[in-house]
Amino acid sequence: MARIRGAGVSIGAGGSVPLSADHSTDAKWLARAIDLATANVASGGGPFGALVVRDGGLIAEGQNRVTSSLDPTAHAEVVAIRAACLAVGDFSLDGATLYTSCEPCPLCLSAALWARIGRVVYAADRDDAAYGGFDDREFYELFSRPRSEWPVPIVSVRPANATAPFEAWLANEARTRY
């Protein structure tokens, strides 16, 4: 696959978008994410770093902690999002930008969407991750296939009370709205 890289633009498998009008701001934060990833490798972790920025200020940083914490969800982006939410005291990071050393995998992209991240900017892409031995590209491809072809069976069992948790949720007037 051909990749085109130029002044502030990277077009590859992820279909990335041009950098913001202020290229130097994106470049600065991406450089920090890459430094976090590289430092993490030096300390025995995976080659991923991420940070959450809002209104020009750093809210939180994250490095891949999958092997050190024995947590398959402790990707750099998820670690940064969790820390940022704690720092601001809210599960919403509306208006924030997630800067990451590599294109977010489906897990991390989902976390960014759930956190209401306003923008994601990444450096390396899923092909670079595959070159490094990571499954990101395979997971993206998996989601485009029918579930019957997945290596893990996804089975729906629907008892009579399957919707009870949602009925309780809707009946709770004091619930925190998403």
Side-chain angles (χ1 to χ4, degrees):
M1 178 192 66
R3 285 199 252 163
I4 303 166
R5 296 196 186 271
V9 178
S10 171
I11 302 174
S16 50
V17 178
L19 295 175
S20 71
D22 185 359
H23 301 339
S24 64
T25 299
D26 284 342
K28 174 184 104 173
W29 294 118
L30 278 177
R32 178 66 186 143
I34 292 167
D35 287 347
L36 286 168
T38 305
N40 203 44
V41 171
S43 64
F48 302 97
L51 42 111
V52 177
V53 174
R54 185 161 51 193
D55 299 326
L58 177 65
I59 299 173
E61 297 179 335
Q63 292 172 302
N64 182 283
R65 298 285 183 234
V66 170
T67 57
S68 65
S69 67
L70 305 178
D71 178 356
T73 68
H75 293 200
E77 297 89 340
V78 174
V79 171
I81 288 168
R82 288 174 179 161
C85 287
L86 287 173
V88 301
D90 196 348
F91 60 83
S92 174
L93 297 171
D94 187 41
T97 299
L98 174 67
Y99 288 94
T100 181
S101 62
C102 188
E103 179 180 8
C105 72
L107 167 76
C108 297
L109 182 56
S110 294
L113 291 169
W114 277 111
R116 312 310 195 256
I117 293 282
R119 185 167 169 262
V120 177
V121 180
Y122 63 89
D125 63 21
R126 65 184 79 173
D127 294 318
D128 299 315
Y131 169 75
F134 293 88
D135 295 347
D136 304 45
R137 184 175 57 201
E138 291 180 32
F139 289 136
Y140 272 105
E141 291 170 1
L142 174 69
F143 289 122
S144 68
R145 296 195 312 256
R147 282 190 179 175
S148 61
E149 297 176 17
W150 288 20
V152 174
I154 308 296
V155 180
S156 174
V157 176
R158 191 168 177 90
N161 66 343
T163 62
F166 296 105
E167 291 166 11
W169 169 258
L170 292 170
N172 181 358
E173 291 296 323
R175 71 183 179 268
T176 301
R177 304 211 191 285
Y178 278 65

